[in-house]
Amino acid sequence: MPERKNWIVLKFGGTSVSNRQNWDNIREVVKQHRDSGYKVCLVHSAVSGISNKLQEVIDQAPRGNYTALLDSIKDTHRDLADDLGLDAYELLGDYFLELDQLAKGIALVEEASFRVQAKLMSLGELMATTLGAAFLKKEDIETNWMDARDLLKTVPQKNASEKNIVLSAVCDDSPDKELQLELSDKGNVILTQGFIASDQSDKTVLLGRGGSDVSAAYLASKLKAEILEIWTDVPGMFTANPHAVPSARLLKHLSYEEAQEIATNGAKVLHPRCIMPARKHKIPVHIKCTHKPNLEGTVISSAVSDDTALVKAIAVRGDIILVSMESLGMWQQVGFLADVFEVFKNHGLSIDLVSTSESNVTVSLDPGLNAHFQDIRNEFVEELSAHCKVNVIESTSAVSLLGRHIRTILHQLGSAFEVFQEHQVYLLSQAANDLNFTFVVESEQADRLVRQLHEQVISQSGNQQSFGPTWPELMGDVEEKEELHEAWWKGKRDELVQLSREKGPSYVYSKDALIANTERLKELHSVDRFFYAMKANANIDVLKTFRSQDLGFECVSIGEVEEVFELFPDIDPGEVIFTPNFAPREEYEQAFDHGVNVTLDNIYPLQKWPEVFENRTIFLRIDPGHGHGHHDHVKTGGVHSKFGIPRFEIPEVKSIIDDISITVKGLHAHIGSGIKDPTQWKSTALILHEVAEELGGVDVLDLGGGFGIRENDTQASLNMKQVDELLKQFRDAHPNYELWVEPGRFLTATAGVLLANVTQLKGKGSVKYIGIDTGMNSFIRPALYGARHTIVNLSKLDKESTQVVNIVGPICESGDKLGIDRLFPESEEGDVILIANTGAYGRVMSSSYNLRMPATEILI
Ligand SMILES: Cc1ncc(COP(=O)(O)O)c(C=O)c1O
């Protein structure tokens, strides 16, 4: 037996203790720690769902409705006991009886005092831990069950309401030698309840919902544990809620301060109150996943991470209540804030965020700490109204950027704030410690805002040390087939260097990569037809390659339509879509003459040129009401976008199309480019479906393009499997519609690289420049969108990167920068530089500005 070490405290949450498979994992974790010499203190919650049911008993019993609830609570424990090979009645009979008696008592007196509530709720933990301890003993782990009320005692809280004193108690967390000795004597494995404690008169109190984490932290502090492990059903803390933002990354390590901010601001993984005791006593906290015990999870400690990621996470707290206080008299009035805050204090309300102006003070109340607000609302508002005009605003959410030196990244947020062109921000607050920047918005807008902010601030911030894999990568449900596309040029280095030297600046496209991208696209089995948005790259050889793969073409000008017929005279016109925007009348006439699918994205042509459309079959491009994408300029939905017919015009459109006998064959929407959120195409399908039902007779829903790619190796990719699954759900629900898509970037971006040759070097002190023989005239995306493309020195691919440089072109514009602050090897005149993922919106957007010809194009 190894030398005896210190305590380790393990906490398992409700889902972790609800089935046999997890209990087998718990047994192994306990054994491992015990066998490596730790004294194990295991703390766990009630079985999943039981606390909610007990709460329902408290709510329903005063009206006599509780027997079915009690039966269901007992059934759940009986099932779990069976699963664990235990006898529920033998172990839990007394608790079942107490449960019956308490519920009956509540029914009789028609109310439940806070004390009774605490007693009833505590049964959840007491029953679960009784089963847990019996199971471990049966599995030959000598386990001592202890009543947490003998281990944790409350301390008085200043200004706390009676409800908080009993149902959200605070306990002493100072290291306790006596307890350490007492528990050591009991053996190597102690098992006790989370969530419950006792007050000075030994009465049961609770630590608030989710309080088991807090119990574990208290016990870790009292026992001076070496480690606190929090075992949950998720593999750690993430940069955002991974269910809402699939590209969210695991946070491998965090400081206590960062973890505190993230937990306090809405991440559900960890109870915010559990960090303070751990921090105070410098106990590292490990967050681990019970059903995947081998994953590393998140480590929270005082070790400083040396990465440059300033924003570590974006969190959302829903159900925020705002109290807005308006008073003209407040200006220069001594004590106004003291007076109004006194009212909050008197009602036991805890204030979270504050924002002030000359005539208004708005504060937010965190519902977690102010659960009694609705009970005292009227009284509180009345009292406060003596000082000012009061407005209580509900259904808001607080979205917080969390990390270090938040102030320094505010400039990056520009286009994410585009959401607010249409919606109100109620309150903005930047914490004085610079760890938190929060805005309170309508709850409905919160998810969209988080996704946008995540994309802009976290996904673009590079491969930081503390960022781990995405959820799908961790849980093994991602299909990574992108290596080929990213790496194709690495295997062709000599050929590319030679080409660049011979031909000068060149776009080089890989035919194999174009075909591989097409094959990946076709894995969207829920989609019926695929069109290539030829605006992305209209190179003849690229178009021929896609035609050989049976793709149709999506054209945005009559020039593109004519190019398709010139190259492929035999193409079925049904395989061509014409989707112009503010095009002149003649283009529609010419498109009808070609027999292609014509998409109308404005009511104007119908009103002004009805004769062009009379008796025709057309598509309508709908504005689904919001845009999405990697940059403001590529979002193509919402009132500030010039594309699409707004939904409020549909009735008018319908009346015109009925009048002039137009058949609407399909509806179309394209909301933007570079989208990584897999839910977007299904959302679009649902909106188009609603419009289709309104119009009737529609067969096709064209969901546009916009499929995002992994721009560089620090970014998560779009999970196409998820896109497909979501679209399949749509199809299963609405089998009468054909689904079409029309990507551009997804098909071509990774298949192309831009090669250029180093012309000159320059050093202005510490700022270094590497000049190349083409610039924004060939490739405008970095200047236009701030796009960050991987850039390498192909001639020195094996050399170590030793300097930070800016890669610039020869154009007389200060924006002519292709890459800023890039880690690069020592470079010299004549070296060949490669800019990756330039196959889309590269050469097609080039110009001969400064009379410098753009890079030539080659397909290999
Ligand atoms: C109507 C339409 N469809 C498809 C696309 C292709 O978008 P992406 O290249 O992002 O797939 C665009 C791009 O602007 C578009 O405007």
Side-chain angles (χ1 to χ4, degrees):
M1 167 76 50
E3 192 194 333
R4 179 97 358 260
K5 289 194 201 150
N6 290 331
W7 284 97
I8 184 167
V9 174
L10 315 177
K11 179 259 160 177
F12 291 87
T15 36
S16 296
V17 296
S18 300
N19 62 52
R20 172 64 188 248
Q21 200 187 351
N22 279 352
W23 269 107
D24 286 339
N25 288 347
I26 296 174
R27 178 194 60 215
E28 292 312 307
V29 171
V30 171
K31 249 197 210 159
Q32 247 174 40
H33 286 314
R34 183 201 61 185
D35 294 349
S36 62
Y38 279 111
K39 286 177 277 190
V40 179
C41 173
L42 194 156
V43 179
H44 74 80
S45 311
V47 174
S48 177
I50 292 300
S51 297
N52 283 345
K53 287 195 179 141
L54 290 168
Q55 185 61 53
E56 260 187 86
V57 173
I58 292 169
D59 298 338
Q60 299 294 331
R63 273 166 269 144
N65 309 330
Y66 61 87
T67 32
L69 277 167
L70 297 190
D71 288 346
S72 132
I73 291 170
K74 290 175 199 166
D75 285 349
T76 303
H77 287 92
R78 207 175 305 122
D79 291 348
L80 177 62
D82 286 350
D83 214 11
L84 298 178
L86 302 169
D87 181 339
Y89 273 99
E90 189 190 320
L91 291 163
L92 305 180
D94 288 348
Y95 290 127
F96 287 173
L97 197 65
E98 193 177 341
L99 185 60
D100 289 341
Q101 286 169 341
L102 281 169
K104 203 167 173 183
I106 297 173
L108 277 176
V109 294
E110 296 179 7
E111 65 173 12
S113 69
F114 299 137
R115 294 275 169 203
V116 170
Q117 292 185 30
K119 212 152 173 33
L120 190 105
M121 294 295 290
S122 72
L123 290 174
E125 268 64 19
L126 290 165
M127 290 189 285
T129 51
T130 303
L131 293 182
F135 172 74
L136 291 181
K137 275 191 217 162
K138 182 174 76 73
E139 302 284 306
D140 290 332
I141 298 182
E142 183 68 41
T143 305
N144 274 281
W145 181 92
M146 295 206 65
D147 190 325
R149 291 168 294 190
D150 297 333
L151 309 176
L152 295 177
K153 288 281 172 196
T154 58
V155 286
Q157 287 166 266
K158 243 171 110 190
N159 301 324
S161 62
E162 165 71 6
K163 185 172 182 178
N164 278 355
I165 289 172
V166 181
L167 302 182
S168 267
V170 174
C171 292
D172 172 41
D173 63 9
S174 23
D176 184 340
K177 267 243 143 55
E178 244 173 74
L179 186 71
Q180 289 164 26
L181 286 174
E182 185 195 328
L183 294 199
S184 290
D185 283 349
K186 301 248 179 219
N188 294 333
V189 180
I190 301 291
L191 187 148
T192 191
Q193 308 76 44
F195 186 50
I196 67 174
S198 63
D199 63 14
Q200 298 308 322
S201 47
D202 294 333
K203 295 231 168 73
T204 305
V205 295
L206 306 179
L207 304 185
R209 285 313 279 275
S212 292
D213 290 351
V214 189
S215 304
Y218 286 149
L219 284 166
S221 302
K222 287 175 100 58
L223 296 175
K224 285 188 88 174
E226 204 171 296
I227 302 170
L228 166 59
E229 287 185 353
I230 305 278
W231 290 80
T232 76
D233 54 346
V234 297
M237 286 174 109
F238 280 75
T239 52
N241 173 359
H243 300 303
V245 184
S247 57
R249 310 267 301 262
L250 175 75
L251 288 161
K252 292 194 283 187
H253 38 83
L254 289 170
S255 68
Y256 292 115
E257 293 82 352
E258 289 167 339
Q260 180 75 62
E261 286 294 331
I262 295 172
T264 310
N265 287 287
K268 299 271 176 349
V269 183
L270 204 58
H271 195 291
R273 275 169 58 199
C274 86
I275 296 166
M276 191 57 88
R279 179 179 174 184
K280 206 154 95 190
H281 304 288
K282 294 206 166 41
I283 302 165
V285 182
H286 294 197
I287 302 173
K288 309 266 291 174
C289 180
T290 312
H291 59 277
K292 294 241 178 188
N294 296 329
L295 295 180
E296 278 179 37
T298 301
V299 176
I300 302 163
S301 71
S302 48
V304 196
S305 78
D306 52 359
D307 53 19
T308 55
L310 299 171
V311 174
K312 290 283 173 65
I314 301 174
V316 191
R317 268 176 305 159
D319 296 328
I320 299 287
I321 298 168
L322 295 178
V323 181
S324 154
M325 294 164 278
E326 200 88 33
S327 165
L328 284 175
M330 145 188 351
W331 192 53
Q332 292 191 335
Q333 184 189 315
V334 174
F336 174 79
L337 283 181
D339 290 343
V340 296
F341 286 169
E342 181 79 18
V343 182
F344 285 83
K345 179 175 145 187
N346 292 343
H347 285 88
L349 292 173
S350 147
I351 291 173
D352 184 22
L353 305 168
V354 183
S355 105
T356 63
S357 74
E358 254 172 41
S359 59
N360 178 283
V361 178
T362 299
V363 302
S364 73
L365 304 176
D366 183 345
L369 294 173
N370 297 291
H372 62 299
F373 177 76
Q374 297 303 349
D375 305 341
I376 51 122
R377 179 187 177 128
N378 292 343
E379 246 175 88
F380 162 75
V381 171
E382 200 181 313
E383 213 174 296
L384 198 58
S385 300
H387 304 277
C388 52
K389 190 168 162 254
V390 182
N391 185 16
V392 177
I393 306 163
E394 289 173 84
S395 302
T396 62
S397 293
V399 174
S400 303
L401 297 176
L402 308 162
R404 290 176 289 129
H405 310 304
I406 295 288
R407 194 173 312 161
T408 59
I409 56 93
L410 294 184
H411 66 279
Q412 286 179 30
L413 305 181
S415 59
F417 280 92
E418 175 239 13
V419 179
F420 302 126
Q421 286 171 345
E422 291 149 51
H423 301 279
Q424 192 176 352
V425 183
Y426 291 104
L427 189 153
L428 267 178
S429 127
Q430 186 200 343
N433 61 9
D434 214 9
L435 292 170
N436 173 336
F437 185 74
T438 295
F439 15 104
V440 180
V441 297
E442 284 162 39
S443 290
E444 272 191 358
Q445 297 306 318
D447 278 353
R448 209 174 117 207
L449 179 61
V450 171
R451 277 199 284 268
Q452 238 157 308
L453 287 171
H454 191 273
E455 184 60 32
Q456 227 145 324
V457 184
I458 295 191
S459 299
Q460 312 286 345
S461 81
N463 216 2
Q464 305 294 336
Q465 270 191 10
S466 52
F467 292 170
T470 62
W471 175 290
E473 283 163 1
L474 274 171
M475 295 320 213
D477 47 53
V478 75
E479 211 177 352
E480 278 298 336
K481 280 200 179 173
E482 288 171 304
E483 293 75 10
L484 169 70
H485 315 283
E486 286 175 355
W488 68 265
W489 47 266
K490 287 189 186 154
K492 297 197 180 288
R493 174 186 156 167
D494 294 343
E495 190 183 343
L496 294 175
V497 168
Q498 184 75 11
L499 266 175
S500 183
R501 294 218 169 108
E502 277 169 17
K503 308 226 176 233
S506 317
Y507 276 104
V508 181
Y509 309 124
S510 154
K511 188 168 178 175
D512 288 347
L514 292 170
I515 293 173
N517 287 346
T518 312
E519 282 166 1
R520 269 189 76 221
L521 179 70
K522 288 189 176 169
E523 281 168 23
L524 292 179
H525 300 292
S526 45
V527 169
D528 298 280
R529 286 175 75 177
F530 301 93
F531 297 81
Y532 166 54
M534 65 182 280
K535 68 174 77 58
N537 184 330
N539 174 271
I540 291 174
D541 294 322
V542 170
L543 296 176
K544 284 184 178 159
T545 306
F546 286 140
R547 187 68 203 133
S548 75
Q549 302 301 302
D550 291 329
L551 295 186
F553 295 94
E554 189 260 338
C555 309
V556 289
S557 70
I558 205 68
E560 287 187 353
V561 173
E562 279 162 2
E563 175 77 353
V564 168
F565 283 105
E566 172 118 15
L567 286 174
F568 316 111
D570 299 333
I571 192 170
D572 172 357
E575 292 196 61
V576 180
I577 315 175
F578 177 53
T579 319
N581 174 248
F582 292 103
R585 171 187 170 133
E586 312 77 77
E587 290 201 12
Y588 296 95
E589 290 167 341
Q590 289 162 2
F592 281 127
D593 289 347
H594 279 292
V596 302
N597 296 299
V598 174
T599 307
L600 202 56
D601 92 329
N602 192 1
I603 194 170
Y604 184 96
L606 290 178
Q607 290 166 329
K608 302 291 176 183
W609 322 317
E611 61 282 10
V612 177
F613 300 94
E614 202 167 0
N615 297 320
R616 299 282 192 184
T617 296
I618 62 168
F619 277 60
L620 293 177
R621 178 170 181 173
I622 308 299
D623 176 355
H626 64 274
H628 207 94
H630 64 83
H631 190 278
D632 214 10
H633 296 177
V634 298
K635 291 170 197 158
T636 51
V639 290
H640 297 283
S641 152
K642 66 182 181 126
F643 300 97
I645 300 172
R647 288 186 62 181
F648 63 79
E649 277 183 358
I650 298 297
E652 205 180 334
V653 169
K654 182 166 167 49
S655 116
I656 301 178
I657 60 178
D658 287 347
D659 279 357
I660 57 173
S661 304
I662 290 177
T663 305
V664 178
K665 172 180 173 187
L667 297 180
H668 171 285
H670 169 82
I671 60 163
S673 239
I675 304 168
K676 301 274 185 66
D677 171 2
T679 63
Q680 287 304 315
W681 292 271
K682 182 183 171 195
S683 306
T684 301
L686 289 169
I687 293 171
L688 290 186
H689 171 257
E690 277 176 23
V691 180
E693 297 285 297
E694 217 174 315
L695 288 171
V698 173
D699 295 329
V700 177
L701 305 180
D702 178 341
L703 309 179
F707 298 84
I709 60 148
R710 203 171 175 192
E711 301 286 348
N712 52 54
D713 56 2
T714 67
Q715 288 193 6
S717 50
L718 168 64
N719 187 336
M720 293 295 271
K721 218 166 128 188
Q722 259 179 29
V723 176
D724 195 36
E725 268 160 26
L726 291 162
L727 288 180
K728 186 167 176 309
Q729 289 167 8
F730 174 85
R731 285 201 69 124
D732 290 347
H734 310 290
N736 296 335
Y737 292 92
E738 259 188 48
L739 296 183
W740 295 4
V741 293
E742 45 180 55
R745 185 161 186 69
F746 183 87
L747 289 167
T748 54
T750 53
V753 295
L754 173 59
L755 304 176
N757 306 293
V758 173
T759 52
Q760 299 183 26
L761 308 172
K762 185 181 281 187
K764 285 188 176 176
S766 59
V767 184
K768 295 196 164 75
Y769 294 93
I770 294 184
I772 54 178
D773 54 2
T774 195
M776 66 194 291
N777 57 324
S778 287
F779 192 53
I780 203 169
R781 294 190 83 245
L784 194 60
Y785 307 133
R788 185 187 167 91
H789 285 251
T790 297
I791 305 182
V792 298
N793 183 332
L794 256 198
S795 310
K796 307 255 170 10
L797 212 46
D798 317 321
K799 295 272 181 317
E800 201 190 339
S801 293
T802 51
Q803 50 174 349
V804 176
V805 300
N806 297 320
I807 291 114
V808 297
I811 301 298
C812 286
E813 282 289 333
S814 49
D816 185 26
K817 291 177 181 153
L818 297 157
I820 301 171
D821 289 346
R822 300 306 177 89
L823 207 54
F824 236 60
E826 281 302 327
S827 303
E828 59 187 318
E829 183 185 341
D831 280 355
V832 175
I833 303 298
L834 176 146
I835 308 177
N837 294 347
T838 45
Y841 306 103
R843 169 65 200 226
V844 280
M845 292 176 96
S846 66
S847 71
S848 49
Y849 186 37
N850 286 190
L851 292 190
R852 288 190 185 277
M853 290 306 113
T856 176
E857 293 177 287
I858 303 157
L859 181 91
I860 58 172

